[in-house]
Amino acid sequence: MKQHVEVRKGQYHDSVTLLSVSRTVAAVEGIAAAQVAMATELNLDVLTGMGFEVPPSAPEDLVVAVRVADDAEDPDAAVQAALAVLADALSTKEAGPTGAAAEPARTTGIALARQPAPVAVVSVPGRHATVEALDAVRAGSSVMVFSDNVPVADEVLLKREAARRGVLVMGPDCGTAVVGGVGLGFANVVRPGPVSLVAASGTGAQHLMALLDAAGIGVRHCLGLGGRDLGAEVGGLGAEQALRVLAADEATEMVVLVSKPADPQVVGRLEDVAADLGLRVEWATLGADQPHLTAAAERVCAALGRQVPTWPTWGDVDRATADRAEGLVRGLFAGGTLCDEAMAVAGRRLGPIASNIPLAGWPALAVDGPSALAAALRGAGHAMVDLGDDALTQGRAHPMIDPSLRLEALRETAADERVRVVLLDVVLGHGAHADPAAEHAPVIRDVLSSARAAGHALDVVVSLTGTAGDPQGRDAQAEALAAAGAAVLLSNAAATELAVDLASGAQR
């Protein structure tokens, strides 16, 4: 099997770009596998695990590795085609608005000295992120830190420095933000309006924005915080600064604070801050005993004097005649917060749900990598998995971009006769897969057909997070999934309730 591995000295590209480029190169005809990555220790481990032998290199070097498929008619031509696609992909990413390549700035501070900006985005390996983010803060810019694996002590340092200088640090591990209508990272296209979000949750914020958009309520800002902000160690430093920023924004009439399960003392302190600022805040902090995000959206509707809509559904969601067989619920989620919410909703009727990101005191699934997932699920009762967890995404794109791990898990899960219903989330918007229905629908159709042939009562329920303005087209995506046999619901809480009904043999 022919391989091509080369090291390009001192050629830097950010990880988001390279994840997308790797996927593009891997899709070239005749190529079985491709990985284009900076030569960090983690990436070298991944390349070695893929069977590539990488020449001596340093973290600032770019590694290009491609493997030709066994059945390729002309292996040399396949490699050349892959390298041509790579060159085109990288040049497209580097080109400026006029198509002319610019001399790259070597530090964030240099970039901001050339072109001051109110917001800088830092997306570099985690151990280098603090320096660049601090550079931006000291240049007077707010920062969205996309990078993960940043020590919590560094996060505290960054957020204290930002507060001292009157700017905001969003992150680390902040994947979603909307600033003045401009989406950063994973972001949906929402109508402008009077509500701003403060979010220690990426997909939770996206889901809430999609619900508000469906209710005709627009969003002005969504300020991401990173998932640790409302924990005891960070103490809500980012959230407090975000509330202060929004209090000074005359166009923000109402704030919604959305978070994964949070430290109650931190939430209490932030409630006092909001009261002191005179801010009108709706609190949407998830947990086993907390209201779900759809309820939060409905409270916002009521607070703004809007009618609560009938949340959209597609396909057969009124399954009064469904098979009454009982069985297990399996959740296969790309969004961690959507997984948290589904566990909380389902757990109220089914009891504690096992997960790789369990709620406090609930059973944990031992999943330290993709190879451990199938075995962990085979031994579990009701279970839900966050496929975007760090242990499942090392060296591969997030499942919102690359659904291959989820589709593999869907096939394995659907073949388990104990499983009555599989619950999935599909998240649309900028940054996500360009056409997730095209990847999911054929597999959903296949597993449902195979189950029927085997006499196995099985349903697939999809929680769809998206808006009519998203580039994928929300309704077209929903209709394609429904045509494959899935029940599709905009509300993640309602999708979970349907899944529990089906698994319980309940009449709807």
Side-chain angles (χ1 to χ4, degrees):
M1 185 181 296
K2 183 178 179 61
Q3 293 187 356
H4 173 87
V5 181
E6 64 175 291
V7 174
R8 300 183 180 184
K9 292 291 184 183
Q11 189 174 124
Y12 174 78
H13 299 273
D14 67 83
S15 59
V16 177
T17 295
L18 294 179
L19 287 170
S20 173
V21 168
S22 294
R23 185 177 170 84
T24 301
V25 174
V28 172
E29 184 174 358
I31 297 299
Q35 186 79 355
V36 184
M38 299 306 296
T40 63
E41 182 178 350
L42 173 62
N43 287 335
L44 292 177
D45 287 344
V46 171
L47 286 159
T48 301
M50 294 173 70
F52 291 112
E53 294 184 9
V54 181
S57 55
E60 62 269 22
D61 299 335
L62 180 71
V63 180
V64 177
V66 296
R67 178 180 298 119
V68 178
D70 289 336
D71 58 355
E73 292 184 3
D74 186 339
D76 291 333
V79 170
Q80 292 308 310
L83 294 179
V85 168
L86 171 65
D88 183 61
L90 291 179
S91 65
T92 299
K93 297 292 183 183
E94 288 179 340
T98 63
E103 179 67 23
R106 296 299 180 186
T107 70
T108 304
I110 292 173
L112 290 171
R114 292 178 183 174
Q115 181 65 57
V119 180
V121 178
V122 172
S123 177
V124 297
R127 61 179 174 170
H128 305 300
T130 302
V131 172
E132 299 302 332
L134 199 57
D135 218 8
V137 167
R138 289 174 175 166
S141 293
S142 292
V143 188
M144 175 181 178
V145 184
F146 194 86
S147 314
D148 58 6
N149 294 312
V150 175
V152 68
D154 287 9
E155 180 174 350
V156 171
L157 179 152
L158 284 169
K159 290 181 171 177
R160 284 180 175 161
E161 182 68 7
R164 193 172 73 82
R165 294 177 179 269
V167 294
L168 179 66
V169 168
M170 297 182 282
D173 200 14
C174 177
T176 296
V178 176
V179 180
V182 177
L184 302 172
F186 298 107
N188 299 94
V189 179
V190 294
R191 69 190 75 211
V195 176
S196 288
L197 274 63
V198 175
S201 153
T203 51
Q206 287 189 263
H207 189 59
L208 193 52
M209 285 192 285
L211 292 171
L212 294 176
D213 191 79
I217 297 173
V219 172
R220 176 165 170 74
H221 300 300
C222 173
L223 305 180
L225 305 172
R228 300 184 302 209
D229 191 79
L230 268 67
E233 290 183 291
V234 182
L237 292 172
E240 178 178 348
Q241 184 63 7
L243 292 174
R244 295 188 186 283
V245 168
L246 294 175
D249 177 29
E250 294 182 355
T252 293
E253 297 178 15
M254 183 174 189
V255 174
V256 183
L257 190 147
V258 56
S259 172
K260 299 176 180 181
D263 183 289
Q265 293 186 349
V266 172
V267 175
R269 189 180 70 79
L270 292 172
E271 289 173 342
D272 292 340
V273 171
D276 290 343
L277 292 170
L279 265 180
R280 190 181 183 192
V281 179
E282 183 64 48
W283 302 89
T285 54
L286 293 173
D289 57 350
Q290 297 294 317
H292 48 64
L293 294 176
T294 303
E298 292 172 351
R299 291 198 301 273
V300 173
C301 290
L304 295 177
R306 306 290 184 87
Q307 185 173 1
V308 175
T310 299
W311 301 112
T313 64
W314 298 263
D316 182 11
V317 297
D318 185 17
R319 301 190 173 205
T321 59
D323 193 307
R324 293 298 189 81
E326 299 181 13
L328 299 178
V329 173
R330 285 281 189 271
L332 302 175
F333 284 87
T337 302
L338 298 177
C339 185
D340 280 331
E341 181 184 49
M343 285 191 287
V345 171
R348 288 165 197 155
R349 295 170 58 188
L350 300 177
I353 308 292
S355 177
N356 61 330
I357 55 163
L359 298 180
W362 289 19
L365 287 178
V367 182
D368 58 4
S371 62
L373 180 58
L377 289 176
R378 275 196 296 273
H382 299 297
M384 298 191 184
V385 178
D386 172 17
L387 295 164
D389 185 62
D390 288 350
L392 295 173
T393 56
Q394 290 191 6
R396 63 191 309 157
H398 192 279
M400 284 167 55
I401 302 171
D402 176 4
S404 57
L405 178 61
R406 189 196 353 225
L407 295 177
E408 180 183 337
L410 173 57
R411 288 188 183 279
E412 292 178 350
T413 297
D416 184 344
E417 292 187 351
R418 300 176 306 149
V419 174
R420 176 65 182 83
V421 56
V422 183
L423 177 61
L424 311 174
D425 64 335
V426 173
V427 182
L428 309 179
H430 291 297
H433 191 287
D435 187 2
E439 301 264 8
H440 287 79
V443 179
I444 291 171
R445 187 177 290 110
D446 284 351
V447 300
L448 290 175
S449 176
S450 297
R452 281 194 297 272
H456 171 198
L458 179 72
D459 279 289
V460 175
V461 178
V462 173
S463 158
L464 179 66
T465 289
T467 71
D470 282 335
Q472 298 90 345
R474 184 196 67 184
D475 290 358
Q477 290 287 309
E479 288 162 5
L481 294 165
V488 185
L489 300 91
L490 186 66
S491 162
N492 187 55
T496 306
E497 292 284 7
L498 173 59
V500 174
D501 282 348
L502 292 168
S504 305
Q507 178 109 28
R508 288 179 67 82

